[in-house]
Amino acid sequence: MHLEWTDSGDAFADRAAAHVASLLAETPDAAIALPTGSTPIGLYARLRTLAEAGDIALVGAHYFNLDEYVGIAPTDRHSFAAFLRRHILDEVDIPADHIRLLRGDAPDIAAEAAAHDAAVAAQGGLDLAILGLGSNGHIAFNEPGAAWDAGTHVVPLTEATRMANAAYFPDGFHVPSHGLTMGIGMIRAARRVLLMVSGAAKAEALGALLDGKPDPGWPVTALVGHPHLTVVADQVLRAGR
Ligand code: GLP
């Protein structure tokens, strides 16, 4: 594991963007899984700036979302798909056939999950999974106790996760009871993993990873021993370590 402590804000986003840039320099057609949440917003802004300046070519890569709310259409602005389009995908003219976003409102949700796995497999698997971290250690929507060998599947969301996510929507959006998520098996199979961790609320979850003991109660510890794991963490979390 390669761990980088940074200041929060620009430095945090810049470090993460540098990892994406170095992957794309090596593998311009990389398959990349993208997270939602507040943590990667600065990264996406930085990638847009780099792309506009011609310092990075995002258009050759293939993009997948890590997770989505069940029952929410990609066109709904509360969806993770819409989030990714707003923050990055529609802003840098990625070709439509390089984007595969889960359809939370698919009539056959199991078929949708299987189609996501097949689309990733068609690209030869993920070159990079970019992850945020839940305060309970979740990665994507893999909550504590999740299996570590799964592909994309439906999961019930914990009350804590639903409340944390509702906080982003002052319009009273009712967070669905279930999510659709790439499983830990698929995430672990990514050739590189970039875990972004920001804010004091994540201290315990990051601590579980840094302790280095795989524990299904902390899904992030499934990444222990990954051959190419980079953790970019803000200094706030360094205290006491
Ligand atoms: C959500 C997402 C995760 C994300 C996490 C942390 O539940 N499903 O993929 O990493 O929240 O979000 P934030 O970065 O806003 O703390």
Side-chain angles (χ1 to χ4, degrees):
M1 175 174 73
H2 179 65
L3 172 63
E4 296 179 8
W5 299 107
T6 73
D7 291 332
S8 33
D10 288 350
F12 179 74
D14 283 355
R15 277 316 307 152
H19 287 289
V20 177
S22 105
L23 169 72
L24 290 176
E26 269 176 41
T27 313
D29 62 348
I32 303 178
L34 298 174
T36 49
S38 55
T39 305
I41 288 178
L43 163 66
Y44 295 147
R46 187 76 188 121
L47 290 176
R48 290 198 314 263
T49 307
L50 290 170
E52 278 156 24
D55 292 333
I56 192 172
L58 296 171
V59 293
H62 295 258
Y63 300 90
F64 302 86
N65 56 351
L66 281 169
D67 49 9
E68 184 55 278
Y69 293 127
V70 170
I72 304 293
T75 47
D76 185 317
R77 67 188 187 81
H78 302 99
S79 70
F80 288 179
F83 174 100
L84 291 175
R85 289 195 177 281
R86 259 193 322 273
H87 285 281
I88 182 84
L89 297 173
D90 285 354
E91 295 298 313
V92 288
D93 293 328
I94 308 288
D97 62 351
H98 285 215
I99 300 173
R100 210 285 163 189
L101 299 172
L102 286 159
R103 266 194 64 194
D105 65 338
D108 182 343
I109 207 78
E112 175 63 12
H116 208 53
D117 289 352
V120 169
Q123 291 305 319
L126 293 173
D127 292 290
L128 173 65
I130 306 175
L131 306 175
L133 180 61
S135 53
N136 63 357
H138 75 230
I139 49 176
F141 268 145
N142 295 285
E143 300 278 19
W148 284 10
D149 56 358
T152 303
H153 62 296
V154 174
V155 290
L157 300 180
T158 64
E159 203 46 40
T161 295
R162 294 181 66 224
M163 279 171 62
N165 287 8
Y168 296 123
F169 298 109
D171 64 355
F173 172 60
H174 184 74
V175 175
S177 59
H178 287 75
L180 188 57
T181 186
M182 284 190 186
I184 290 177
M186 197 164 172
I187 291 170
R188 284 209 294 188
R191 285 180 276 283
R192 299 184 191 199
V193 176
L194 172 61
L195 176 68
M196 301 179 68
V197 192
S198 173
K202 312 292 174 68
E204 202 182 351
L206 178 63
L209 175 67
L210 300 188
D211 285 348
K213 294 189 206 81
D215 173 359
W218 292 97
V220 69
T221 65
L223 302 176
V224 169
H226 187 282
H228 202 316
L229 168 65
T230 301
V231 181
V232 177
D234 78 28
Q235 296 279 5
V236 173
L237 292 152
R238 195 172 194 172
R241 297 213 66 87

